[in-house]
Amino acid sequence: MNSFQKNNECKDVLVLGGTRYFGRSIVDELLIAGHRVTIFTRGNLKPNFSSEVTHIIGDRMDFPLFRKLFQDKYFDAVVDNIGYLPAVMEEALSVFRGNVGIYIYTSSISAYCVDEFKPSLQRYHERDILKEEDFKAVPGKLLDINSVETYCIGKNQCESRLMQNKSLPYVILRPPLVIGPDDHSRNLYFFMQRILDGGPILLPKHTEHNLLHIYEKDLARVYPKIIDKESCWNQAYNITGEEVLTAEEYLGFIANYLNKELLITYLPQAELDTINYIQPFEFNLISDISKIKENIGVELTPFKTWMSETINWYLNIYDGQDSKGYDKRQLEIGLSK
């Protein structure tokens, strides 16, 4: 077993998933901090990192291959961005036990979205501001991700397995929706494209429509800090931006930037379901970040700065497909009348 290097020295870091979006930004930040980086992906995207980055290709769900690739390798840190099922986390804990200095798991604020006493989702807008101690482990062992609810349960159970382990130091990060350039999920583009066409945005009727997201580069900058600060280990942390905005303020900034009028139609969820309308934002999902500020420290970019950068990326660089559900845009417009 290796002796892990002291703080502020070059360390060997493995990133599980690191060729695009904030995984790519995490790799960039690790390189800036002077660390040696290895990434593990399925090889669907060819990274254009420098020769400093080692790329190992494989499928994480192929447990025998995963074990063969990593059981005899030593890393000062592992960053896990692609853990969704408890069996995957259990395998990682078995493979890396004794071979890793710190295991950093990118979870989600969705891990709070389930309650062991409620088999279905407890909607975010029914909760107060979320603190780390509000986490409740969901019993059982999820076998498949096929819905928003099972995604939440999967993240929750991965966290539970990590917190229950006794031999591998860990840190868990719980970000909300991550926004920024190069987002393959096209979450922001969902609203941008509809604002650009001049039609209405459909939103579900709630008492409030508050939003709090995080800029992907702000999230990425936290990982090197964790590696170098053992005093923050064996804890879970909320990590998000600071500016809570209403839907009107959030989407209104986008519309003003695009020199377009913002039109919002609020409808009962049952009506939205008639056209299978699924917009990507969860409202009133607000978490407290005082713990990570005190224990680790965060650098947070103003909303207007990172949102402008993201909008410009979609306007000037993005050349991909339409946003999700845009093929049914006329149904949305018809429902709003």
Side-chain angles (χ1 to χ4, degrees):
M1 180 176 174
N2 68 332
S3 58
F4 298 108
Q5 295 158 313
K6 296 180 181 179
N7 289 349
N8 301 320
E9 293 182 354
C10 177
K11 297 184 172 68
D12 291 304
V13 183
L14 171 66
V15 180
L16 304 178
T19 54
R20 62 182 179 183
Y21 200 30
F22 72 86
R24 167 63 189 260
S25 292
I26 291 170
V27 173
D28 287 338
E29 292 297 328
L30 291 169
L31 292 174
I32 290 170
H35 300 310
R36 289 182 294 269
V37 180
T38 299
I39 61 174
F40 173 73
T41 76
R42 289 177 294 179
N44 295 333
L45 293 175
K46 292 184 178 180
N48 57 355
F49 294 115
S50 68
S51 58
E52 301 171 75
V53 177
T54 301
H55 190 189
I56 298 176
I57 295 175
D59 187 340
R60 188 170 181 181
M61 297 303 294
D62 185 343
F63 290 169
L65 175 62
F66 189 81
R67 181 171 292 274
K68 180 180 178 180
L69 289 171
F70 295 113
Q71 64 181 353
D72 295 323
K73 287 186 170 61
Y74 299 93
F75 296 97
D76 297 289
V78 169
V79 175
D80 183 356
N81 291 329
I82 52 174
Y84 302 103
L85 289 169
V88 170
M89 181 60 74
E90 290 167 2
E91 181 67 14
L93 290 171
S94 175
V95 169
F96 291 122
R97 182 173 288 113
N99 297 342
V100 168
I102 177 65
Y103 195 97
I104 307 173
Y105 177 54
T106 307
S107 183
S108 166
I109 205 162
S110 298
Y112 291 112
C113 194
V114 287
D115 190 302
E116 60 182 321
F117 303 111
K118 295 186 178 183
S120 61
L121 284 179
Q122 180 175 355
R123 304 313 302 171
Y124 296 121
H125 61 265
E126 296 174 355
R127 292 179 175 270
D128 296 324
I129 294 176
L130 293 163
K131 297 186 177 181
E132 286 83 358
E133 56 265 30
D134 293 325
F135 178 86
K136 294 181 179 180
V138 176
K141 186 172 182 177
L142 186 72
L143 299 178
D144 188 32
I145 304 291
N146 53 31
S147 65
V148 174
E149 181 173 3
T150 53
Y151 171 83
C152 299
I153 294 171
K155 285 294 189 180
N156 181 290
Q157 292 184 346
C158 283
E159 284 198 28
S160 297
R161 300 309 192 269
L162 192 52
M163 288 187 281
Q164 291 163 4
N165 104 89
K166 302 298 182 183
S167 59
L168 188 60
Y170 68 89
V171 166
I172 295 168
L173 294 175
R174 296 175 183 148
L177 195 64
V178 182
I179 301 291
D182 199 28
D183 179 5
H184 59 279
S185 68
R186 310 184 306 281
N187 288 319
L188 189 73
Y189 192 53
F190 181 96
F191 297 103
M192 267 191 66
Q193 192 171 23
R194 286 158 174 79
I195 291 171
L196 283 167
D197 71 21
I201 299 290
L202 305 186
L203 294 179
K205 277 188 176 178
H206 295 318
T207 304
E208 296 179 318
H209 292 81
N210 294 321
L211 292 166
L212 182 61
H213 295 156
I214 187 165
Y215 180 40
E216 55 103 5
K217 289 182 174 56
D218 290 349
L219 175 61
R221 280 192 286 265
V222 172
Y223 291 80
K225 293 183 179 183
I226 292 170
I227 294 170
D228 289 334
K229 196 167 186 179
E230 292 187 25
S231 61
C232 76
W233 293 3
N234 298 316
Q235 297 286 329
Y237 297 93
N238 295 331
I239 171 66
T240 187
E242 287 187 297
E243 299 164 270
V244 179
L245 302 174
T246 66
E248 290 81 3
E249 292 169 333
Y250 192 110
L251 299 176
F253 178 85
I254 298 172
N256 288 336
Y257 197 92
L258 298 172
N259 198 26
K260 293 286 186 177
E261 182 181 2
L262 176 64
L263 302 174
I264 300 179
T265 300
Y266 297 97
L267 294 171
Q269 186 62 51
E271 289 189 38
L272 299 176
D273 290 342
T274 63
I275 61 169
N276 195 30
Y277 178 78
I278 303 174
Q279 58 82 32
F281 284 2
E282 283 280 5
F283 298 101
N284 310 311
L285 173 54
I286 311 301
S287 62
D288 178 84
I289 59 171
S290 58
K291 181 178 176 182
I292 197 168
K293 282 183 173 180
E294 180 178 351
N295 290 14
I296 301 174
V298 290
E299 303 168 48
L300 297 173
T301 306
F303 169 81
K304 292 182 179 180
T305 301
W306 62 256
M307 181 54 74
S308 299
E309 179 184 333
T310 306
I311 295 171
N312 284 330
W313 182 84
Y314 277 112
L315 289 175
N316 302 315
I317 298 177
Y318 179 72
D319 60 356
Q321 57 188 307
D322 286 335
S323 58
K324 293 178 181 178
Y326 199 72
D327 57 325
K328 299 178 181 178
R329 181 60 171 150
Q330 292 306 311
L331 293 177
E332 299 173 20
I333 294 172
L335 193 63
S336 70
K337 295 179 179 178

